[in-house]
Amino acid sequence: MNSAPNYFYPFRMGRIILLAMEEVLGQSEVNTVLNLAHLPNYIDRGLAYNQDQKLPFEHISRIQTAFELSYGPKAGRGLVLRVGRVCLKYGLRAYGSELGMTSLAFRLLPLPSRIKVGSETLAGLFNHFTDQRVRLEVDEEHIYWHIERCPLCWERQADSPCCTLAVGLLQEALYWVSGGKYFPIEENTCIACGDSACTIVIDLTPLS
Ligand SMILES: [Zn+2]
């Protein structure tokens, strides 16, 4: 029996992942992945679920693993990255206005401030509304997005960093915040590889 404490995403956030999966994969492939994850209950995308429903970290992690079982590790992680990118759109729809990220005042900030405020706001969203823990570290050229309690690789073991959903989400967030610039973003350490945190490094020099 697993006696570890249970950690959750509120269903409002979990549903963002399910909607993004459907946009990337189409409904029948989503069903395949959810069946492989032994989570057929989510097949209706949770539309019938009430607001109090929660998504345990184990389930979030199992969905990531199911992508890799279904498509192979490389393609599976690539698809999860795309799902992460699409999550931003649904995330802004669900949380954007209450976080102020869609406000004119935010959009008028100079780019470095927008990136700083945007990443702090996004980290705050996870820390406040979910049991995921994110710690930001910033130097002149980088933002280090340390996920210290990570649902994506929860109780997983992997040979290389595997939290590509977070990488995709941050890629798209930076793209959106900067008005269309690409920033190199990479997960350098991962709890599934035995590291103490899943650290995603954002290089603040855009590619274009
Ligand atoms: Zn992780």
Side-chain angles (χ1 to χ4, degrees), residues 147 150 152-153 163 187 190-191 198:
I147 310 175
C150 179
L152 302 172
C153 63
C163 305
E187 186 181 14
C190 183
I191 296 167
C198 302

Side-chain angles (χ1 to χ4, degrees), residues 3-207:
S3 60
N6 278 326
Y7 297 117
F8 299 95
Y9 267 10
F11 204 83
R12 183 184 180 195
M13 191 172 284
R15 191 167 163 266
I16 291 169
I17 299 175
L18 296 170
L19 288 169
M21 283 170 62
E22 179 156 326
E23 183 169 322
V24 171
L25 298 178
Q27 197 174 1
S28 75
E29 293 288 305
V30 171
N31 297 354
T32 305
V33 168
L34 291 175
N35 279 320
L36 270 171
H38 305 292
L39 295 169
N41 290 347
Y42 295 137
I43 278 176
D44 68 357
R45 293 172 296 151
L47 295 175
Y49 284 68
N50 67 48
Q51 289 288 322
D52 301 329
Q53 183 85 25
K54 291 173 173 178
L55 220 68
F57 278 18
E58 297 96 289
H59 292 187
I60 299 168
S61 170
R62 252 197 266 161
I63 291 172
Q64 318 302 307
T65 310
F67 269 84
E68 296 179 28
L69 290 172
S70 193
Y71 304 100
K74 195 161 184 283
R77 288 179 192 186
L79 282 167
V80 170
L81 187 129
R82 281 175 54 198
V83 170
R85 296 196 68 150
V86 174
C87 280
L88 184 82
K89 176 177 74 183
Y90 293 107
L92 286 172
R93 231 174 256 176
Y95 291 100
S97 60
E98 72 194 70
L99 295 174
M101 287 182 73
T102 49
S103 72
L104 185 63
F106 177 75
R107 282 184 282 141
L108 290 178
L109 289 172
L111 182 57
S113 308
R114 238 181 305 149
I115 290 176
K116 187 169 176 289
V117 172
S119 46
E120 282 168 359
T121 304
L122 199 56
L125 174 80
F126 288 110
N127 289 331
H128 183 74
F129 287 105
T130 80
D131 292 322
Q132 176 174 329
R133 288 295 165 263
V134 178
R135 182 173 61 84
L136 285 184
E137 191 188 339
V138 182
D139 66 23
E140 290 288 295
E141 289 161 11
H142 305 91
I143 293 176
Y144 301 88
W145 176 273
H146 300 292
I147 310 175
E148 296 181 326
R149 189 192 292 148
C150 179
L152 302 172
C153 63
W154 186 252
E155 294 179 333
R156 276 194 72 177
Q157 288 187 327
D159 295 334
S160 58
C162 60
C163 305
T164 49
L165 192 125
V167 175
L169 177 74
L170 291 172
Q171 267 183 1
E172 191 66 18
L174 267 286
Y175 182 82
W176 179 79
V177 156
S178 67
K181 293 186 196 307
Y182 287 100
F183 294 81
I185 300 182
E186 205 179 352
E187 186 181 14
N188 278 13
T189 64
C190 183
I191 296 167
C193 302
D195 297 306
S196 61
C198 302
T199 296
I200 295 162
V201 182
I202 301 165
D203 185 333
L204 292 174
T205 308
L207 291 173

